[in-house]
Amino acid sequence: MLKPIGIVNSINGPVVKADEVHSVEMMELVEIGDERLIGEIIELHEDRATIQMYEGTSGLEPGTVIYGTGFPLSVELGPGLIGTIYDGIQRPLQQMHMQTGNFIKRGIKPLPLDQHKCWHFIPLVEAGAYMRQGNIFGIVLETPLFEHQLMIPPQVEGQVEFIQKEGDYTIKETVVRLKAKSGYIDLTMAQKWPVRLPRPYMRRLVPDEPLITGQRVIDTFFPLAKGGTAGIPGGFGTGKTITQHQLSKWCDADIIVYIGCGERGNEMTGVLMDFPKLMDLKRGRPLIERTILIANTSDMPLAAREASIYTGITIAEYYRDMGYDVALMADSTSRWAEALREISGRLEEMPAEEGFPAYLASRLAKFYERAGRVETCCGKTGSVSAICAVSPPGGDFSEPVTQHTKRFVRCFWGLNKELASSRYFPAIHYMDSYSEYIDLIQFWWVQNVDPEWKSLRDEAMKILQEDFKLQQIVKLIGEDALPDNQRLVLEGARLLKNAFLQQSAFDKVDMFTVPQKQFLMLKTILRFYHKARVVLRSHIPFERLRQLPVVNEINRMKDRISNNACEQFEALFQQIDHQMNEIEKECMSVR
Amino acid sequence: MIHPMGKEYVGISKVAGPLLFIEGVKGVSFDELVEIRTRNNEIRHGRVLEVNRSFAMIEVFEGTVGLTISSTRVRFHGKPLQIPVSMDMLGRIFNGLGEPIDGGPPPFYREKRDVNGAPINPVVRDYPEDFIQTGISTIDCMNTLVRGQKLPIFSGSGLPHNELAAQIVRQAKVSSQEDRFAIVFAAMGIKNDAAQMFRKSFEESGAISRVVMFLNLSNDPSIERLVTPRAALTMAEYLAFDLGMHVLVVLTDMTNYCEALREISTSKEEVPSRKGYPGYLYSDLSSIYERAGRIIGCEGSITQIPILTMPNDDITHPIPDLTGFITEGQIVLDRELAKRGVYPPINVLPCLSRLMNDGIGAVKTREDHAHLSNQLYTAYSYVKKVETLASIIGEDELSDQDKRYLDFGRMFEEQFIGQGQHENRSIKETLDLAWDILTTLPKEELIRLTEEEIQKYYPNNGAQECPTG
């Protein structure tokens, strides 16, 4: 299978140049020397080739033989992906640990999927059926509640000649034999797909269903649709990782693909420790049973970091093709862009902005376009939502990666340093952020929650905007100097910020809020605001309003009223009405 | 000195800055260690940075001054730079390349290790969650350090970062088991005085026999600095993961390290990224910082306290910026506070400890810890807003509420942030002090604390009121 295709000429970090190169394809995976270090051909020029290496190159010598594998960088797809943690080129880290111990060594290639594990296969078709790409021929229960649909691989079709009976098989065994034009094709439960190529689907659908995340600032103010794209930029310490962890814990996707791309090792450890313990709200099973982790931490080889997001999105697309909603988290695309930059620099390419290669924008665009809500080849509806952190240097959003990301995502959650430093989380700033999905998904809210949703949301947003403007004045003259109606705007905004937008990731009740409760919380605050506006007309001192006991109740409703006790809001409404009426009466009688 | 095998080449083709180029070499591998012998038989060391079939580019750690084209001899070692590791090295002082400079004999060792180390497999990392009491209120209460964390100090020239680091090392020692504790100290381009200060502090606390020092001082060759932190961390990994010790690593000053990296990068004529630093500064720094942590099944741990001086006190400068993206938080020193005589001048607002939430709470510290810390943050950041307002409209024009906040701010800075260089506060003292200071504010303002916490910990339940103004 492996044949020599060239000789190493020079080595410069992760970039190896080869000469005497023959019979090799662009993007083909190669292995170098006796250690069989893995690399990928990224440039061909006559008999010379440039290779980006997925492993460290220390100790590599010019003159070493290079072997071709005949395949581009691919991932193996099949039952056994869920719950596994892979590196950037889909090597299972648990297996690597067993082979080489606590530290990652070079030149080992454990297979991505467990070759010996038996899966219980249930056939869904019979001999004689004609199958096309994406058609489902059987199912396997991958985790106790997750059905893995076995699909005919892309570009394969034919008549079922033979299919195994229900029973336990490994992924090496043939389960289906197709009779195609070209001859017989044996299929196992696993298939391969090159990571840099999007998997096929029938057609794209409009993303009009929200991805419910339980995070109020996201669901209510800047919602993401299933199949949508979102960017989370923020300087260090603003909470990108916590936000992504929150989303992967609570969002209502079926599968989570979490890519730790050039980030901290301990963060992946945190996920590995937390996820088996936390329960999925929908299924009541540990979260790890719907999660696939890809960890290429910052100290692991750079080129594998570049590959990691493609590995991740290919796995996501595979589950999408079965008709599932997949959410992909990438933390962080800046590290991926930096890997591109470093490799580009070593290739001595002409740099564009800040040393990044000119093709940064097109690579980002291609990646984000792989997200989407589609009708799959088997006629089901599936989606891949991409939620990507961006780490702008110095927290400055004008840098190239943030700017290009903004062009290709439709949801932008800008994290703010000031909010973070006063421990106001999630530090998603309501003035910097936007979502283009609001109009698409409002019908879902109308149908499932309340017809008033959009108007309440817009009004709350208006209060926040007005507050933002007023704060400029407050900075100069202080709050007390403003007229009462403007102070009420500030008070309304304060309630929105403290009682609604701020959400603790660590409080048992507050960490996840169902849409119904989100709506009622918003309604409570706006009810207070409206009532107060009326009451203020009868010249009640503003301080009296702020001192109402119900203000404290509103501030604490997020952790006092649990998700399944939404009826308690009725009492809160009455309290608001009652206390407002009381002070109004009181003031009248004094006069 | 042992002379390993390997061909020796006489004569080189080019010297430029810290780089040496040699042609016509065979069998040279990437990243291998090189021994260079000058005309006067002086031995220097270097590393292969780029190699092809006919030439090799070598960075020379000790500098290229005095090298000649014709009579320089170069010998390739066939393996990357390694340093010996052993228990025998505790209490010793080495140069930046790991050679003894305290006048003692070469240490006894059984094993040599590659200074570059290898990435820890994420699946075997153990989540850091053991509280380390540093005795410094702003750290213990608001930016808790845990065992296995990497928590840098962002400082500026002339600020007491060295004193603070020495105090942390001195006081953090107390809470851990004496016999399984070690300190690895790596100095990169710092002044001799600062190195002496650390040494004296280690001696005073009686820890000197458990310290390994790697010193590359400001008058030592700058390229050697690229090896110093790696040598130190190789030693630390041996102590922590082979011998099961809790190792505290102090790396100072990372700014000098980054500058040496920039020097090499420009000599190689690489495409620069921000401020002339190479595009791989992030990856390079993470290959140092990520060598902290705990491993499942190993007793020991590596806790890192890197120190860096922010050029021009600018936290958005690439060095602090990229560091902050890799480390698990940061402690930021502030010139303004230092000028007012507050020690340690820690400006808590930009500070952060990412691992804090896992290291605190009912069992580890106290159940009110997390909320109390958040409350201090919320209140103090409001103080900063009020101070800006007061500087425009005057303090007298502020509302009573805002005046109370100003009082809170003053007490917080003087009593809570401020403490003595030898004052070692227990976590209980720190938390109680925080509650005391919060009494300046009315209870209704304490929205980050739960009612039960206020009930339980608010001193005298708010009976006394502090005078305003």
Side-chain angles (χ1 to χ4, degrees), chain A residues 10-13 57-62 346, chain B residues 18-22 25-36 45-52 55-61 74-81 116 264 268:
Chain A
S10 73
I11 304 130
N12 178 2
T57 48
S58 270
L60 197 59
E61 269 178 43
R346 299 214 191 233
Chain B
L19 300 179
L20 176 158
F21 298 79
I22 179 164
V25 289
K26 276 233 158 358
V28 173
S29 63
F30 179 68
D31 205 27
E32 78 174 281
L33 179 66
V34 183
E35 201 176 280
I36 300 139
H45 301 86
R47 180 169 63 175
V48 177
L49 284 188
E50 199 178 325
V51 60
N52 68 23
F55 103 118
M57 174 162 77
I58 297 159
E59 65 178 357
V60 185
F61 299 134
V74 177
R75 181 192 295 274
F76 292 91
H77 276 218
K79 52 181 183 266
L81 179 60
N116 294 314
I264 279 288
K268 281 168 75 182

Side-chain angles (χ1 to χ4, degrees), chain A residues 57-70:
Chain A
T57 48
S58 270
L60 197 59
E61 269 178 43
T64 311
V65 181
I66 304 170
Y67 302 91
T69 62

Side-chain angles (χ1 to χ4, degrees), chain B residues 181-228:
Chain B
F181 186 81
I183 297 159
V184 173
F185 179 81
M188 289 150 280
I190 65 164
K191 292 183 278 282
N192 203 9
D193 299 352
Q196 287 307 326
M197 194 280 293
F198 273 103
R199 203 173 158 188
K200 202 160 148 258
S201 163
F202 296 148
E203 267 167 11
E204 275 168 14
S205 65
I208 192 75
S209 62
R210 319 204 63 83
V211 180
V212 193
M213 293 180 101
F214 292 85
L215 300 182
N216 166 281
L217 302 179
S218 49
N219 54 350
D220 289 331
S222 64
I223 304 307
E224 194 181 287
R225 275 163 217 167
L226 296 177
V227 178
T228 312

